[in-house]
Each structure stands twice: as C-alpha cells, then as structure tokens.
Amino acid sequence: MLVESTRNDAVKRAKALANKKGRTEQGLHFIEGEKLVREAIVSGAEFVEAFVEEGHDLMEAVLIGSGARVYTAKRHVIESMTNTESPQWVCATVKTPPTDVPEVYPSGLIIALDKVQEPGNLGTIIRSADAMGAKGVLLGEGCADPYAPKPVRASMGSIYHLPIWDGDLKKELSKLVSDGYTPLCAHLKGSETLPDVGSNCVLVIGNESRGVSEEIADMCKLYRLPMYGFAESLNASVAASIIMYELAKQMHS
C-alpha cells in the first residue's frame, strides 16, 4: 500500500508514539533508521507497522517476514514521522516488551539507575551495559522513558539485547542485596579503590545533577573514579561506562 498523505491513520498512530501517553496507550514504541530496524529484526522484536520508501523491496520483504504490516511511503511522509533532521528511508512501530521486575534476577552485573532523567544518557548507559555484558538495567522511579525516541536511538539497538525493568529502587536493591549481590554506588564521597564485588554486583548510577539519593547510597559501597585533571566529575553516562568496564574486567578476570 502506497502512503502519500501525512493524515493517513497508520501515520497518525506512529506520530502519537512521540509522547509517553501514546506509547502507553498503544503499548508500542517507534524506531527509525536501517541499523536500528535491522537490530530489532535480528533480536526478534515484535513489529506492528513499518514504513519504507520506494525502492527498498528487500527490506519490505524482511519486515513482512517479521510480522509487520508494511507501507510504501513517500519521502515527505517518512520525514513527518521521524525525529531526526535527515531521516533514513525506513521506520517502524514495535511492541514494547514488559518491564516488570523479575522474581529472581540473573547472575552477574545488574545496572540500576536512580532518577537518570536525560534521555541520551539513559540510552548510552543501556548501550554500555550491553557491551560490558550486564544482565539487565533496573530503572527506579523518576528515570526517563527508555522507549522514547531519543533513548532508543542512543542505545543503537542494545535496548533489544538485554531486559529493562521498572521498579521501586530501594525495594529491589534490598532484594538484590539479600540475594547476595554486592551493591556499588558511583559517589563523589566514595573510595578511589574499586572494591572486590565478587560474581554478582548491582551498580547504581544517580541523577545527572544530584547523584544517588542518600537513602540509596547508604545501602551501597561507595566508589569514586580517580580524577587526574581539573574536572571534578563526569557526565553520568561517561562515568557509568567507565565503571562498568572496570567491573566487567574484574568480574571476568
């Protein structure tokens, strides 16, 4: 089916996913670009509708095989739905996976976020967690929506590679500690010596401006990245990525 109008019902449904209300009501999120669409396909994501510019028959066939209802769309229609300045030729709507916390957390490294609100930071942390072999990302109350367009793009497909959970951070951290996980918190008052975390660890990363809340920090071992220059702190996603690397190196040694 060729879509030439931005007032098409399928286009309207896709546009509604730009806000949280639309994503919640439809149970879907929106992705754009060849790399992200291919990552979603390979990861077994559940497609609903997809929009492809004319001349990309192979991608149309692959998306149909992945369960999507595929529309051939004019360039101006693609541009009306996407959130980037120079959008690529494909975009789609995908079912959002459940984010309920598990009864039993997987062994290994868990990343927990305490009110991380900047969407780009959230997506980058998810990408780094995936690269460092984390088993999942736990989002406490007040975090950005991981399935908003910007975090999804920043994750570069990693959002489909590991589970994302929403939960009461204090309650879930207590549960993890009782199950034998070492709780480690990135904190300016922490030691510059990385503790031995064993085989199971939960790393807590705090809000971009306020850091980790006191009640959460009190439950954790505190660690501060050594600084050798004049900057006193790092961007939340940069700090998280470096600490994840150090933890993964220790846990895999």
Side-chain angles (χ1 to χ4, degrees), residues 38-104:
R38 288 190 181 279
E39 285 289 339
I41 291 169
V42 171
S43 302
E46 193 170 350
F47 285 83
V48 177
E49 295 178 308
F51 305 84
V52 184
E53 279 191 63
E54 296 170 289
H56 296 280
D57 296 344
L58 178 58
M59 177 60 85
E60 285 193 24
V62 172
L63 283 164
I64 290 170
S66 297
R69 182 177 184 184
V70 180
Y71 302 87
T72 303
K74 292 292 188 179
R75 179 66 183 175
H76 72 278
V77 175
I78 297 281
E79 290 176 342
S80 75
M81 289 185 285
T82 53
N83 298 281
T84 51
E85 291 185 6
S86 301
Q88 295 182 25
W89 44 267
V90 61
C91 55
T93 64
V94 181
K95 285 195 175 181
T96 301
T99 58
D100 301 326
V101 295
E103 290 187 14
V104 178

Side-chain angles (χ1 to χ4, degrees), residues 19 90 208 231:
N19 62 70
V90 61
E208 289 84 354

